[in-house]
Amino acid sequence: MSRLKETLTRKITPQDRWVGFLCLPFYINVIYLLYGPRYYKDQTVFIYATIIAVITWFFSWRIHITVGHYVRVVMQDVQQTFLRLLISCGIYVILTGSITCLLTYLLHVTGYLGYQFSLDSFVLALLTGLVINVVAASVFEGFYIFQNWRDALLEAENFKLEAEKLKKANLQSQLDGLKSQVNPHFLFNSLNSLSALISKNPEKAEEFLDEMSKVYRYLLRTNEQELTTLSAEIKFAGSYFHMLKTRYGEGIAMEVAIGKEHDDYLLPPLTLQLLLENAVKHNVILKEDPLVISIRTDANGNLIVSNTLFKKRLMVHSNKVGLANISTKYRLLNQPDIVVDETEKEFIVTIPLIKSIREKELPV
């Protein structure tokens, strides 16, 4: 019952109208076959017989459209296309044959416009009706298949767009999560350092606090960005290293050799802070054998950060937001990954600097 209701309430589509107008000449030809040459020679016959043809065509078309819609509601699968076409043609043949027989009978009984029954004309009219059904069913089914194909393409495209939006939203969420990890991590370590200095050396603690405020101001300003310039990051690294120098004194040193041509290259903010912190966390810092951190660029546009290696014997607790954080940021930005090397004397991280980045490459 629900299928019948769906069929009856379905709106006539432009394709339905096109099929109807395509079949109209065939219905006029049926009238011509029934009346013979008189159809064109007698103006009265031509006018009124054509009116009969149009009326017959309209009701026949409306019935055929309703039946066609019902068959498509019942048999919607692509695998049922041949069976659906076969059943539709069979029903259409019966309908058109019945309509042609009824029309011929009424014309014969009433003698409308002097109609005289002819078996040959009647058979030709029935054959014309058969042609009407084959053409109508094929065109109607063609429209139906094309519509389904177009809907499937639109659905696939919409699904692809939605999937892309979800993917970008997920990437942005991951990137935001990585950025939010840095804030509490950096603050926790800074406050620990400050706490240790307050009791030992208040003057250095005050100096440390001044540098900490500069560093944290940079962190708050750049943490909302996916990328920052290398020159800005180097300035920040200088302030951050000043904090480290305040705490470790001659036990730590930093060498910077950055080509001016690389100043405007890009990289994720706080990359250097994570690498400096990583070097300090995992190595012994001694005045007699200082930890030397080198920051330089090469001819291939890479930033190379290395430090002398003197690992702590005790296992250092790590929440793994250092190298993994940087690597994940590069992956989310659709950029080549960082390269990590370790020799007997050095720990080296090679970071590919980004010349420029298109907006579509960034998560949105």
Side-chain angles (χ1 to χ4, degrees):
M1 190 65 182
S2 60
R3 291 177 177 177
L4 180 59
K5 183 178 179 180
E6 180 181 348
T7 302
L8 295 175
T9 56
R10 182 171 179 176
K11 295 181 179 180
I12 300 298
T13 65
Q15 291 81 2
D16 297 335
R17 296 187 180 92
W18 275 109
V19 172
F21 284 115
L22 180 65
C23 293
L24 179 57
F26 289 93
Y27 279 87
I28 293 176
N29 189 57
V30 168
I31 291 295
Y32 165 74
L33 291 173
L34 292 177
Y35 278 95
R38 290 181 57 230
Y39 178 73
Y40 289 112
K41 293 180 179 180
D42 190 326
Q43 185 176 6
T44 301
V45 173
F46 177 79
I47 295 175
Y48 289 101
T50 300
I51 293 174
I52 294 298
V54 171
I55 294 174
T56 305
W57 159 79
F58 177 78
F59 284 104
S60 177
W61 166 75
R62 196 63 184 87
I63 294 171
H64 279 71
I65 290 298
T66 302
V67 171
H69 285 172
Y70 182 77
V71 173
R72 283 160 181 76
V73 169
V74 175
M75 308 175 68
Q76 299 181 4
D77 294 341
V78 177
Q79 294 81 355
Q80 296 176 306
T81 299
F82 178 75
L83 181 60
R84 183 173 58 243
L85 183 59
L86 190 64
I87 292 176
S88 297
C89 284
I91 296 175
Y92 291 163
V93 167
I94 295 173
L95 287 173
T96 303
S98 300
I99 292 172
T100 304
C101 289
L102 179 61
L103 177 63
T104 304
Y105 175 75
L106 292 175
L107 292 177
H108 175 66
V109 170
T110 60
Y112 184 73
L113 299 174
Y115 171 75
Q116 293 181 354
F117 177 77
S118 170
L119 182 60
D120 291 340
S121 298
F122 175 70
V123 172
L124 286 175
L126 283 176
L127 291 176
T128 301
L130 177 62
V131 173
I132 292 174
N133 286 289
V134 173
V135 172
S138 300
V139 174
F140 200 27
E141 188 65 29
F143 277 130
Y144 179 73
I145 293 173
F146 174 76
Q147 184 67 40
N148 284 348
W149 172 76
R150 187 176 64 177
D151 291 345
L153 281 182
L154 290 175
E155 184 177 351
E157 186 65 24
N158 290 335
F159 178 80
K160 182 179 179 181
L161 290 175
E162 289 299 322
E164 190 66 22
K165 288 180 181 179
L166 289 174
K167 180 180 178 182
K168 289 183 177 181
N170 183 51
L171 291 178
Q172 183 64 54
S173 176
Q174 293 182 50
L175 190 56
D176 290 342
L178 289 172
K179 291 190 295 183
S180 67
Q181 280 183 318
V182 176
N183 285 326
H185 183 242
F186 172 66
L187 181 59
F188 178 77
N189 285 349
S190 299
L191 291 177
N192 276 348
S193 300
L194 180 60
S195 176
L197 284 175
I198 288 175
S199 58
K200 295 180 180 179
N201 194 327
E203 292 183 0
K204 283 191 175 182
E206 184 177 352
E207 183 180 353
F208 184 91
L209 184 59
D210 289 339
E211 294 299 329
M212 177 181 168
S213 64
K214 296 177 184 178
V215 169
Y216 213 82
R217 190 180 303 115
Y218 173 85
L219 187 151
L220 292 175
R221 185 174 67 250
T222 61
N223 206 28
E224 297 300 322
Q225 304 172 1
E226 277 75 26
L227 296 169
T228 188
T229 62
L230 178 59
S231 60
E233 187 74 1
I234 290 296
K235 290 179 181 178
F236 161 75
S239 296
Y240 183 77
F241 178 76
H242 192 281
M243 294 170 58
L244 296 177
K245 189 72 173 176
T246 300
R247 180 177 179 182
Y248 297 107
E250 297 180 8
I252 189 170
M254 184 171 72
E255 302 171 351
V256 179
I258 302 295
K260 290 293 183 182
E261 67 275 13
H262 298 129
D263 282 349
D264 294 329
Y265 280 35
L266 305 173
L267 74 166
L270 308 176
T271 296
L272 292 178
Q273 184 261 334
L274 290 171
L275 293 176
L276 292 173
E277 185 180 74
N278 188 69
V280 171
K281 181 188 297 183
H282 295 283
N283 290 279
V284 176
I285 299 179
L286 300 172
K287 179 180 179 181
E288 298 79 12
D289 191 6
L291 172 66
V292 180
I293 301 173
S294 171
I295 303 175
R296 63 187 185 278
T297 54
D298 63 13
N300 296 321
N302 294 314
L303 178 67
I304 302 173
V305 181
S306 62
N307 61 266
T308 52
L309 202 60
F310 189 17
K311 290 185 179 181
K312 295 179 179 179
R313 294 183 179 181
L314 297 177
M315 182 67 67
V316 178
H317 174 71
S318 174
N319 54 15
K320 300 181 179 180
V321 297
L323 294 175
N325 188 307
I326 300 171
S327 179
T328 304
K329 283 184 178 180
Y330 268 83
R331 177 176 59 81
L332 296 178
L333 292 168
N334 299 318
Q335 297 298 319
D337 201 358
I338 64 174
V339 177
V340 179
D341 292 315
E342 185 177 327
T343 66
E344 291 184 1
K345 296 182 178 181
E346 277 190 312
F347 184 80
I348 308 166
V349 180
T350 303
I351 300 170
L353 294 172
I354 305 169
K355 291 185 179 180
S356 63
I357 191 162
R358 295 185 296 274
E359 183 178 353
K360 68 177 184 179
E361 293 176 327
L362 291 172
V364 295

